[in-house]
Amino acid sequence: MTATRIDGKAFAARLRERVGEHALAFAEAAGRKPGLAVVLVGDDPASEVYVGSKGKATVAANMLSFKYRLPADASEEQLIKLVDDLNQDDRVDGILVQLPLPGHLDEQSIIAAISPDKDVDGFHVINAGRLSVGQSGFVPCTPLGCMMLLTDRLGDLSGLEAVVIGRSNIVGKPMAQLLLDANATVTVAHSRTKDLASVVKRADIVVAAVGRPQMITKDWLKDGATVIDVGINRLPPEPGKEKGKLVGDVAYDEASEVASAITPVPGGVGPMTIAVLLRNTAVAAYRNAGLKVPEGL
Ligand code: NAD
């Protein structure tokens, strides 16, 4: 068997297009465009790139992009004051504080300062709580993107065995919750799981969010499994090359011989994250304006 390649890049492009249309409709109804504010503290080059591409994608989806930058030695008070101002700013529907923050800033306190109604990353404890009791709030972008790919591919997930590898607050835990809500039977595996290979072997759905290059090999997978690879790992550079190749947590080529469908790295889950961020921002705009969130957004 050769697995179907789940094209997250194409799916994300369609989602961004749809979000852009909804953003235009919102602007007509509300008299303003949806707005996303991104806050960058310090000058980490990777964060800089992420913030730049989020800004471009926001504008391309017919929304306003606001960028705020604080120096690396900004105090917690300064950052919380900025977040507070953005909470009060009616042009801003979503607030994203780019992580990681410099070491002297407590990420949890900063996230707690964001209004849950503008927390389009879905990291606030209120939104984590809403997800866990089945109320609508904001769900972290990466797992929600994985869920969209899974339901697009498989339809109803009822009764399927799902194994999520990784238990982080931003990927593994919300992923498990979403799968549970979709009536899958869910196992969350992690660094202390015993005999991980045999746990993964029973899965109809495998979601790998570990951060270990090509850890999951073909012999771990059940025939016909659907595999979502969240991991982004850079291999050491080959001789003569400046940068190593990007790979996932799954050994893609060999896993494709066993799985029925699998996301590539890059081009799978990665592009979904930003598309879902835009989607969450459009949803926030409708909610914050007291308008009904359109079906299919
Ligand atoms: P994390 O480091 O917070 O969590 C990793 C998890 O993996 C932990 O829960 C840990 O228990 C588990 N783990 C570690 N070693 C293990 C092992 N040997 N066996 C089983 N489990 C093990 O990471 P994260 O933020 O959840 O991200 C995970 C991966 O996903 C990283 O590669 C990250 O770069 C990637 N990621 C990608 C996107 C995207 O947009 N595609 C978004 C977020 C994270």
Side-chain angles (χ1 to χ4, degrees), residues 142 165-172 189-193 196 208-212 215 220 229-233 249 269-271 273-274:
T142 302
I165 318 170
R167 57 174 162 186
S168 71
N169 289 337
I170 62 167
V171 189
H190 47 78
S191 52
R192 307 281 177 91
T193 297
L196 183 58
V210 179
R212 287 184 164 243
M215 177 179 92
W220 290 30
D229 191 353
V230 184
I232 302 176
N233 313 287
D249 291 342
V269 174
T273 300
I274 219 166

Side-chain angles (χ1 to χ4, degrees), residues 52-96:
S53 52
K54 281 171 189 167
K56 278 193 202 131
T58 306
V59 172
N62 305 319
M63 303 190 199
L64 296 180
S65 163
F66 305 99
K67 191 169 153 190
Y68 296 86
R69 177 185 270 271
L70 290 180
D73 61 355
S75 67
E76 198 158 301
E77 291 68 35
Q78 258 178 304
L79 181 51
I80 289 183
K81 166 79 172 63
L82 172 57
V83 168
D84 256 346
D85 290 346
L86 297 173
N87 284 339
Q88 307 302 326
D89 188 336
D90 290 339
R91 301 167 307 158
V92 172
D93 295 294
I95 302 169
L96 184 153

